[in-house]
Amino acid sequence: MSKANKKERIDKIISSRGIASRSEAKLLVKKGQVALNGAIVTDSSVKADENDLITIDGKAVSQERYVYIMLNKPVGVVSATDDKRYKTVVDIIPDEFKRRNLFPAGRLDKDTTGFCLITDDGDFAHNILSPSKHITKTYIATLDSLIDYEEGRRCFEEGVVLKDGTVLLSAKLSLLDTSDKPVYKVIIKEGKYHQIKRMFASLGAKVVALERVAMGGLALDEALNPGESRLITADELKSIVENDERF
Ligand code: URA
């Protein structure tokens, strides 16, 4: 059954989907590149709603107000929207996901890999990043040397005091592997600059590889190779907050 929605001008809908600015949207219409339910429109004041199919050059305009993308960030790419020297996480997502106001929700270092969430929804990003919300982030850290595991667990749980005096919130540490370089899982509830590296530095160890494997209750999709991305479903999005293992 179709929904009864408020109709809006077609140029407004196109710009609200992050495809073009309002004036660019008007131009697209004027040039005959926009169709409404299969018929070219040349007047931007024509109105449409969610039940209508809008296309630009034959490609459907998403009905979703915001987009949420899971990227498996590779090494060497920066968590930014633009950079003079390096490729950004926004540069490497496929064109079909691209919108004007995309940004990474939270920063990963250039040499950190894994789950990078890219969106154009500022309120959502604020909600999952705000330290007061305590949404967890899970990392796998490979170290150059073993640490005293019991001491590490206790320090992380009590809240590491960084060299600059910053007192961190309680974090969880578990040992995953010692067969080659020691590998640990760390769950933190905030996202300070170089946090994981500085936490291990406080125990005298250097992080040689770091991967984010989950944000709240949503794990990185193992089917995504480094550099690959996909859209996050509505249920997955909810699970970030709802399935988060609070501690
Ligand atoms: N902690 C770090 O040290 N680096 C990251 O990229 C993320 C968390």
Side-chain angles (χ1 to χ4, degrees):
M1 199 168 62
S2 67
K3 295 183 216 158
N5 290 304
K6 198 172 139 267
K7 290 204 177 258
E8 283 184 315
R9 287 174 59 112
I10 202 159
D11 57 342
K12 189 166 179 217
I13 295 177
I14 292 170
S15 69
S16 74
R17 300 299 180 268
I19 296 158
S21 67
R22 192 77 183 261
S23 54
E24 287 163 351
K26 283 188 178 135
L27 203 62
L28 288 168
V29 172
K30 208 168 160 189
K31 287 184 176 163
Q33 290 173 263
V34 177
L36 177 61
N37 301 321
I40 298 285
V41 283
T42 48
D43 177 0
S44 287
S45 68
V46 165
K47 291 191 170 174
D49 68 20
E50 278 179 22
N51 300 310
D52 293 310
L53 173 67
I54 301 169
T55 55
I56 301 174
D57 294 330
K59 273 172 62 184
V61 170
S62 166
Q63 296 288 13
E64 306 300 331
R65 176 67 188 87
Y66 297 113
V67 74
Y68 308 88
I69 299 157
M70 177 191 286
L71 166 73
N72 185 354
K73 179 190 163 310
V75 168
V77 169
V78 292
S79 293
T81 49
D82 64 314
D83 192 275
K84 287 198 173 69
R85 283 194 298 165
Y86 301 104
K87 280 216 153 100
T88 72
V89 288
V90 174
D91 290 334
I92 65 166
I93 58 170
D95 282 348
E96 72 250 38
F97 300 158
K98 285 204 173 139
R99 290 183 171 210
R100 293 172 75 236
N101 299 320
L102 289 176
F103 63 93
R107 281 179 179 262
L108 292 177
D109 298 335
K110 185 155 78 67
D111 57 356
T112 300
T113 59
F115 190 168
C116 177
L117 197 157
I118 300 169
T119 185
D120 52 355
D121 183 348
D123 289 343
F124 172 80
H126 175 75
N127 268 334
I128 62 162
L129 297 176
S130 165
S132 64
K133 297 278 169 28
H134 294 184
I135 300 296
T136 64
K137 282 101 199 165
T138 306
Y139 292 87
I140 305 294
T142 307
L143 305 190
D144 65 341
S145 55
L146 268 174
I147 53 166
D148 179 329
Y149 182 43
E150 284 314 317
E151 190 203 347
R153 263 168 47 130
R154 187 182 45 77
C155 288
F156 279 25
E157 198 176 315
E158 283 173 3
V160 171
V161 183
L162 297 175
K163 287 198 178 110
D164 65 2
T166 307
V167 182
L168 299 177
L169 294 173
S170 178
K172 274 190 179 170
L173 176 70
S174 36
L175 179 60
L176 297 183
D177 190 13
T178 51
S179 54
D180 183 16
K181 290 208 167 78
V183 182
Y184 296 85
K185 178 164 104 172
V186 190
I187 308 178
I188 58 175
K189 297 188 279 194
E190 56 200 329
K192 301 235 183 299
Y193 181 66
H194 290 337
Q195 181 164 335
I196 302 282
K197 291 171 185 165
R198 291 158 82 203
M199 286 168 81
F200 281 110
S202 76
L203 299 170
K206 187 172 165 12
V207 173
V208 293
L210 187 62
E211 179 186 18
R212 181 155 69 194
V213 291
M215 294 185 76
L218 181 61
L220 174 66
D221 184 342
E222 286 177 9
L224 291 176
N225 290 314
E228 289 181 350
S229 52
R230 69 160 174 83
L231 294 177
I232 294 173
T233 66
D235 281 348
E236 286 177 330
L237 204 63
K238 275 196 244 149
S239 76
I240 293 179
V241 176
E242 288 175 8
N243 296 348
D244 193 14
E245 188 201 318
R246 304 295 166 98
F247 65 93

